[in-house]
Amino acid sequence: MIFDAHCDIWTHVARKRLEGEQDIIRKYHLNKFKESDINGGIFVVWVDPPYDKNPKYRTKQILDKIQEEIKDSDDIVQIINNSEDFDKAKEHNKIAILIGMEGLQAIDDNIDDIEKLYSFGVRHASLTWNEENKLATGAKGNIERGLTEDGAKLVRKMEKLGMVLDVSHANEKTFWDICKVATKPFIASHSNCRSLCDVPRNLTDDQLREIASRNGVVGINSYEEFVSSNLEKRTIEGLVDHIDHMVEVMGINHIGLGFDFAEYMNSETLKHYASTYTYGVRGLEDTTKAKNIINALETRGYSKEDIEKICYKNFYRVIKEIIK
């Protein structure tokens, strides 16, 4: 059983529905999930380039298509609105979907809009993608700029509502500014270790320790440029090296999976942020290969209980605690 804490499937759903298709999850993804033993995940709304010029319009467009898709998929998906919904998903053999927001650029400075998103069913959000916005600063933003006053207010609102706060994509200053405001556990849904691969999207050991100290979780990311600068080490074994390091720094209870598979994107979107023609590390190229992480962990000597913690139990624990 695998919980993928970062899945861009809504991007694919929106694109296909805008092309006139229906029932996208069943048609394109359900068998892949079954093959890979993925039983749930955080499915995010991301304002994908080149549509980021009008984030509010694009966000509404994707949310409208999500609403349509949920109606088509009611018999195979369980939207997670509260902690009991995980049990309902398991009981009825449905995919447990936590609707998330990868960046809140569309909110601008209208922070009360988070309540509208919550009413829609959103239970997770990061404040930024890589950009600077009126809430916070992403990994490619000004290193001296962090969380704004509105961003701090939004963090407090999210905690009050019972939403999972995600710090993946935040720059370092935003991360530490969030730490001054947040009182509940938070996650980094799809980030790796900067000590093993020195890119701004990865987390320092101090950041990893801070997340663990707050009982949060970090989901390891299979995107190859975040695994190693050495092309030969962009493999599933190289990714498990990141897990080994996180275990040493954070402990086994704070590590999960946030694959960030690129198969949901088209080439027009991918060219805006990827510098290579391959995206997942060798052995974890796409959703159908997800179970390979279990074999790799077994080979590395992880116990059954520890593998279950990494694959789903750790994220289930923190999400259930936050959303109640």
Side-chain angles (χ1 to χ4, degrees), residues 17 21-28 69 72-73 76:
R17 281 192 166 271
E21 293 193 45
Q22 297 178 336
D23 216 3
I24 310 305
I25 293 176
R26 191 188 319 271
K27 188 182 298 183
Y28 291 97
E69 183 68 20
D72 281 354
S73 307
I76 59 172

Side-chain angles (χ1 to χ4, degrees), residues 23-138:
D23 216 3
I24 310 305
I25 293 176
R26 191 188 319 271
K27 188 182 298 183
Y28 291 97
H29 304 291
L30 182 59
N31 287 338
K32 290 182 180 180
F33 288 148
K34 288 180 177 179
E35 180 181 348
S36 58
D37 204 22
I38 291 177
N39 295 81
I42 302 176
F43 290 10
V44 294
V45 176
W46 175 49
V47 179
D48 46 328
Y51 306 105
D52 51 344
K53 304 298 184 293
N54 193 339
K56 189 176 289 289
Y57 174 80
R58 181 60 169 173
T59 297
K60 183 181 184 306
Q61 189 177 55
I62 295 174
L63 290 174
D64 286 345
K65 298 307 172 186
I66 290 173
Q67 203 163 36
E68 295 172 7
E69 183 68 20
I70 290 171
K71 290 178 182 177
D72 281 354
S73 307
D74 182 62
D75 61 319
I76 59 172
V77 305
Q78 174 70 54
I79 303 301
I80 305 300
N81 290 309
N82 55 64
S83 58
E84 289 81 11
D85 287 334
F86 282 107
D87 298 324
K88 292 178 184 177
K90 185 176 182 181
E91 180 183 351
H92 298 289
N93 196 28
K94 293 183 177 183
I95 303 164
I97 298 176
L98 196 79
I99 301 176
M101 302 291 299
E102 186 175 22
L104 289 170
Q105 189 178 10
I107 278 184
D108 199 41
D109 57 0
N110 302 307
I111 59 174
D112 287 341
D113 282 357
I114 195 69
E115 295 177 14
K116 297 176 184 177
L117 290 171
Y118 184 87
S119 295
F120 180 88
V122 173
R123 293 294 182 271
H124 156 281
S126 58
L127 303 186
T128 68
W129 185 55
N130 287 331
E131 84 287 346
E132 295 180 9
N133 61 37
K134 292 190 177 180
L135 302 171
T137 310

Side-chain angles (χ1 to χ4, degrees), residues 223-238:
Y223 179 55
E224 61 174 7
E225 292 185 34
F226 301 159
V227 175
S228 181
S229 58
N230 183 339
L231 296 180
E232 298 302 315
K233 292 185 178 180
R234 291 180 174 180
T235 63
I236 192 169
E237 290 79 15

Side-chain angles (χ1 to χ4, degrees), residues 193-241:
C193 307
R194 197 178 300 181
S195 63
L196 301 187
C197 183
D198 189 9
V199 297
R201 272 283 287 107
N202 286 343
L203 300 170
T204 67
D205 286 359
D206 284 343
Q207 289 175 301
L208 295 175
R209 278 188 282 266
E210 183 68 22
I211 292 170
S213 74
R214 293 167 178 264
N215 202 29
V217 182
V218 177
I220 56 133
N221 190 329
S222 67
Y223 179 55
E224 61 174 7
E225 292 185 34
F226 301 159
V227 175
S228 181
S229 58
N230 183 339
L231 296 180
E232 298 302 315
K233 292 185 178 180
R234 291 180 174 180
T235 63
I236 192 169
E237 290 79 15
L239 187 60
V240 176
D241 288 343

